[in-house]
Amino acid sequence: KAGVTQTPRYLIKTRGQQVTLSCSPISGHRSVSWYQQTPGQGLQFLFEYFSETQRNKGNFPGRFSGRQFSNSRSEMNVSTLELGDSALYLCASSETTSGEQYFGPGTRLTVT
Amino acid sequence: KNQVEQSPQSLIILEGKNCTLQCNYTVSPFSNLRWYKQDTGRGPVSLTIMTFSENTKSNGRYTATLDADTKQSSLHITASQLSDSASYICVVSLMNRDDKIIFGKGTRLHILP
């Protein structure tokens, strides 16, 4: 089986812009979670989707949003980018909401 | 407050030596504990997963232990190799309807030749 894929792998944006990141889970996995990783804070949970429904949401402002499609692929959107949004954004998929998570390689977002 | 604390923050050892990484948690109700390895520029990869009733789990040269009474876990690496240089992240899941996950900030391990 192919692993979790994320596109793009690298992205440079300027403050105020918006960005959309994409995640394709492992075939058969219906749960997709998104995380933000920064050197100072480590991994922080953004949100989780299962069967196109958001099940969980972390403590991030409303500028961060996501969605999941019927084929389980997921997108994450960040509007009005701030310098502090520079981070590695990781997506993880699992068969169920409590199953083992498999991470993608991440998207490195740099906001200038 | 549900927290996961890892120590040390970073560790440098010589190739071939053993090392132990620590994870203390104040998470309740506990569901399971995972150790992940994250190479630089890559996503985390699961090493071990333990539920409340398991107190040890091995994966090759990696052995994780869990003491649910003291809420402590350790990851022991035997005969370290240069490829073990990575961040090791302890992750604890809560047993509740939302299946919340708490991440530690990780231990950065450097293996020197």
Side-chain angles (χ1 to χ4, degrees):
Chain A
K1 277 186 182 179
V4 178
T5 58
Q6 292 186 245
T7 57
R9 289 296 311 278
Y10 303 92
L11 203 51
I12 299 175
K13 291 284 189 178
T14 56
R15 275 181 300 175
Q17 287 187 311
Q18 75 157 19
V19 66
T20 299
L21 311 181
S22 180
C23 171
S24 292
I26 291 173
S27 177
H29 286 195
R30 295 164 62 190
S31 173
V32 173
S33 298
W34 287 89
Y35 300 89
Q36 181 195 66
Q37 187 176 36
T38 58
Q41 295 297 320
L43 273 157
Q44 292 187 287
F45 172 72
L46 280 158
F47 27 65
E48 179 194 8
Y49 286 87
F50 182 81
S51 295
E52 302 178 67
T53 301
Q54 187 180 89
R55 286 193 77 250
N56 257 320
K57 192 176 190 304
N59 296 323
F60 278 82
R63 300 185 296 108
F64 292 80
S65 63
R67 59 177 176 169
Q68 186 179 34
F69 302 95
S70 58
N71 61 359
S72 293
R73 189 177 70 86
S74 177
E75 286 182 348
M76 190 193 93
N77 185 275
V78 188
S79 62
T80 319
L81 284 166
E82 301 176 359
L83 294 179
D85 296 334
S86 295
L88 180 67
Y89 289 89
L90 290 160
C91 161
S93 78
S94 58
E95 290 186 13
T96 64
T97 56
S98 57
E100 180 172 355
Q101 293 188 320
Y102 296 84
F103 284 83
T107 293
R108 172 73 63 185
L109 172 65
T110 302
V111 182
T112 62
Chain B
K1 183 180 178 183
N2 292 311
Q3 285 185 313
V4 176
E5 302 285 344
Q6 290 189 246
S7 62
Q9 271 192 328
S10 63
L11 183 62
I12 302 174
I13 64 171
L14 293 175
E15 184 180 12
K17 299 295 186 183
N18 303 334
C19 67
T20 299
L21 314 180
Q22 299 290 343
C23 173
N24 296 337
Y25 61 93
T26 56
V27 168
S28 181
F30 173 89
S31 175
N32 60 64
L33 184 147
R34 296 183 173 100
W35 281 95
Y36 284 90
K37 177 187 178 188
Q38 185 175 20
D39 292 312
T40 301
R42 294 174 178 255
V45 174
S46 178
L47 292 174
T48 63
I49 177 171
M50 290 179 290
T51 60
F52 182 88
S53 59
E54 297 172 299
N55 54 25
T56 187
K57 187 72 72 79
S58 289
N59 179 357
R61 295 180 296 103
Y62 301 101
T63 299
T65 63
L66 173 65
D67 186 332
D69 291 330
T70 61
K71 297 189 176 181
Q72 295 180 325
S73 176
S74 65
L75 180 69
H76 186 75
I77 304 175
T78 305
S80 61
Q81 300 176 359
L82 296 179
S83 59
D84 293 332
S85 293
S87 288
Y88 292 84
I89 304 170
C90 174
V91 183
V92 180
S93 296
L94 277 74
M95 185 188 301
N96 61 22
R97 191 175 59 174
D98 293 333
D99 295 318
K100 191 174 180 181
I101 299 173
I102 312 292
F103 286 82
K105 292 187 178 181
T107 291
R108 180 68 194 170
L109 177 63
H110 300 271
I111 309 297
L112 299 180

